[in-house]
Amino acid sequence: MPTHVIVLAAGQGKRMMSDLPKVAHKAAGRTLIGWVLEAVHPLEPANTVVVLGHGADEVLDHLPPGVTTAIQERQLGTGHATNVGLGALGDVTNDDTILVLYGDMPLLGPELLARLVERPEDVAARMVTSVFDDPTGYGRILRDDSGNVVEVVEERDCDDAQRAIGEINAGVYAFRAKDLIDTLADVSNDNAQGEYYLTDVVGILVGRGQRLQPVEATPQEVIGINSQHQLAEAQAVLQARTNRRLMESGVWMLDPDRTYIDDSVIVEPGARIYPGVHLEGETKVGAGAQVGPDVFALDSSIGAGSTVWYSVLRGAIIGEDCEVGPFASLRPGTVLEERSKVGTFVETKNTTLGQGAKAPHLAYLGDAKIGARTNIGAGTVTCNYDGYEKHETTIGEDVFIGSDTMLVAPVTIGDGAVTGAGSVITDDVEEGALAIERSEQREIRGYSQRRAERQATKKAED
Ligand code: UD1
Ligand code: CA
């Protein structure tokens, strides 16, 4: 029987105390809704509808292609939202399975969902339950004397005895289509929150003598994120999963608890990751590279055998066997070819360093193309901005840029040329030439002696 999926994600998530819609919050590099859809994906559903409402536009940006969306204009409850989702499902036959779940459950795994949708034909619904040490905030499961689930009571509607129940409703259900559609019509909003609760469907089905099966899950799998605190907890679990996956593939990590790698990042086996490393977005780390301590890298790639430590990389491409840091900032458009080096307190932007080129310390290199084996002295600045426009600096191969050279762009330095330390280079330099721009040094003999004598005389007069 085909499976259809409805994900409820229209709520604002008031308890997050944030302007961002709840399901658009990220944990370990993916939005909450993204994690849920990732868990649903292996089921290969006939169709997946995400019900949006609060901040729909912001959530839409994070949805993968192939999901349908439906808008719940007013958040009248999970039962109402499910109805909105049903309206967008398209062709559904009576005996199909409709999986309904909430968009705020990022730890949900595909195995649990696969188990849930194996619904025997004579069972109207299967639902996930779990026993929590602290069930605060969740709907409680009521069972009869024979142990059959008979009802879900929301916390706000619980009496004291019900509130003491540790078994909770996880909020993941596999319904026979016909039964869901029929019972939803009977759900009222006569409860503490004045909402149409999807959970009421459970009691109605049981009242009609339909079979219902609970499927038990571990608390960890099914936590719903309602607060920043729970988001941080989920982030830690998801991060631990990613790190374990990477270590199992052969990545070395000194301290996985202090290593933060997005799910989207690729780290090849044999890479070595030290603590304090954040790898985000479309970042890639090659085999045998050493990253960290303390590196932030976004949408960057670090080639095999390279070392990057105490540095920030944004949109940078680092080739093989390069060295970066400590304390380098590589901004978008930075390309380091093989064996090149960007060292201490160097900032680069839209700049290529050719093979084996080096800028070991204290430099700003922007809008520059630097040839192979060229050495950039400490204190070098490409003066690329005249206050109106950006200009390019082109430096050939085997060039020696002396310390504290100001390269006033646009300017071109030929292959094998040398610039004298402290020069302000405004004109192009020919291949193999020495360009030096500084005033001649003067020397005034015996100066210190005369100054000391002057001071002594002055003191005697006072
Ligand atoms: C819900 C369940 C509760 C369960 C818990 C598990 C109900 C009535 N209660 O409570 O039994 O233990 O989840 O985490 O279902 N939503 C909409 N439209 C609405 C209301 C909510 O789309 O009108 C969405 C929210 O965006 C959210 C999900 O439904 O993703 C659940 O809503 P939430 O308010 O978090 O429900 P809980 O109070 O946690
Ligand atoms: Ca919730």
Side-chain angles (χ1 to χ4, degrees):
M1 285 300 157
T3 301
H4 311 265
V5 177
I6 300 176
V7 184
L8 308 186
Q12 177 188 8
K14 288 195 197 81
R15 289 164 281 181
M16 298 299 285
M17 310 298 272
S18 151
D19 291 339
L20 198 62
K22 176 162 76 177
V23 298
H25 283 76
K26 278 190 174 180
R30 212 185 263 275
T31 56
L32 299 184
I33 184 81
W35 283 110
V36 172
L37 292 171
E38 174 84 353
V40 163
H41 190 73
L43 298 177
E44 297 179 1
N47 41 20
T48 301
V49 172
V50 179
V51 181
L52 299 175
H54 255 283
D57 289 343
E58 279 165 281
V59 183
L60 266 174
D61 292 344
H62 298 291
L63 296 182
V67 305
T68 307
T69 54
I71 301 294
Q72 185 193 21
E73 298 289 350
R74 290 170 62 212
Q75 282 69 62
L76 302 177
T78 49
H80 179 258
T82 305
N83 240 331
V84 171
L86 279 174
L89 266 189
D91 280 351
V92 177
T93 51
N94 284 344
D95 290 327
D96 288 356
T97 294
I98 301 181
L99 174 70
V100 181
L101 67 172
Y102 302 155
D104 63 354
M105 309 177 66
L107 302 186
L108 211 56
E111 306 78 18
L112 176 64
L113 295 182
R115 229 178 346 127
L116 188 73
V117 298
E118 280 166 20
R119 181 184 57 83
E121 273 186 32
D122 62 337
V123 168
R126 303 184 95 192
M127 60 186 292
V128 178
T129 72
S130 186
V131 178
F132 277 30
D133 288 337
D134 176 11
T136 309
Y138 290 86
R140 308 296 205 279
I141 301 289
L142 305 196
R143 291 183 184 249
D144 64 15
D145 295 340
S146 332
N148 297 314
V149 172
V150 292
E151 208 185 328
V152 177
V153 186
E154 288 309 297
E155 178 162 273
R156 295 212 221 178
D157 302 297
C158 279
D159 60 30
D160 288 346
Q162 291 167 337
R163 205 169 292 117
I165 295 171
E167 190 180 17
I168 62 98
N169 168 37
V172 189
Y173 325 78
F175 294 103
R176 178 158 55 207
K178 175 179 180 304
D179 293 291
L180 175 63
I181 295 162
D182 287 353
T183 42
L184 263 184
D186 285 358
V187 170
S188 80
N189 63 351
D190 180 17
N191 53 53
Q193 299 195 79
E195 288 188 357
Y196 296 90
Y197 290 160
L198 172 61
T199 45
D200 282 358
V201 163
V202 172
I204 298 173
L205 281 173
V206 172
R208 291 182 181 183
Q210 296 280 14
R211 276 193 72 195
L212 195 128
Q213 281 182 341
V215 171
E216 199 176 327
T218 60
Q220 211 193 38
E221 282 176 283
V222 298
I223 75 160
I225 306 305
N226 295 317
S227 64
Q228 299 287 351
H229 170 71
Q230 286 169 324
L231 180 65
E233 280 180 355
Q235 148 78 32
V237 174
L238 291 164
Q239 189 60 75
R241 273 190 206 165
T242 300
N243 290 353
R244 193 171 320 119
R245 167 171 62 78
L246 292 173
M247 287 185 286
E248 278 166 3
S249 77
V251 173
W252 177 90
M253 278 181 205
L254 180 60
D255 187 353
D257 289 343
R258 293 182 54 219
T259 301
Y260 311 91
I261 302 180
D262 280 3
D263 185 53
S264 50
V265 169
I266 296 168
V267 186
E268 286 180 357
R272 297 170 63 78
I273 314 289
Y274 282 83
V277 168
H278 300 249
L279 305 177
E280 299 191 354
E282 303 302 310
T283 291
K284 191 177 168 226
V285 178
Q290 179 186 310
V291 184
D294 295 339
V295 167
F296 175 89
L298 171 68
D299 300 334
S300 295
S301 99
I302 298 173
S306 288
T307 300
V308 179
W309 57 329
Y310 300 103
S311 293
V312 175
L313 279 45
R314 287 166 287 174
I317 297 170
I318 297 169
E320 294 184 6
D321 302 313
C322 293
E323 261 183 74
V324 175
F327 312 112
S329 172
L330 275 49
R331 292 167 48 201
T334 297
V335 177
L336 305 192
E337 293 178 0
E338 272 170 44
R339 298 183 314 284
S340 59
K341 172 174 177 166
V342 169
T344 314
F345 304 120
V346 175
E347 176 177 338
T348 61
K349 188 218 70 175
N350 194 24
T351 284
T352 299
L353 263 77
Q355 292 183 5
K358 289 186 169 60
H361 18 236
L362 296 159
Y364 170 65
L365 304 170
D367 303 309
K369 196 156 178 1
I370 297 163
R373 298 172 303 278
T374 284
N375 189 82
I376 306 290
T380 296
V381 173
T382 53
C383 310
N384 60 331
Y385 186 49
D386 58 15
Y388 298 97
E389 282 175 70
K390 300 285 168 66
H391 303 281
E392 286 186 12
T393 301
T394 306
I395 303 174
E397 298 182 349
D398 301 299
V399 170
F400 185 91
I401 300 291
S403 295
D404 212 16
T405 298
M406 298 295 118
L407 297 157
V408 181
V411 68
T412 298
I413 315 292
D415 290 345
V418 173
T419 66
S423 298
V424 177
I425 303 297
T426 49
D427 295 326
D428 291 354
V429 180
E430 196 176 290
E431 189 179 320
L434 164 67
I436 185 154
E437 186 280 337
R438 57 169 100 110
S439 49
E440 225 167 279
Q441 185 169 326
R442 287 209 302 149
E443 196 165 300
I444 299 163
R445 294 236 170 108
Y447 168 78
S448 296
Q449 175 73 27
R450 282 200 299 283
R451 192 172 79 144
E453 283 166 10
R454 260 204 314 275
Q455 284 299 322
T457 319
K458 201 168 163 226
K459 221 168 181 185
E461 286 168 4
D462 284 347

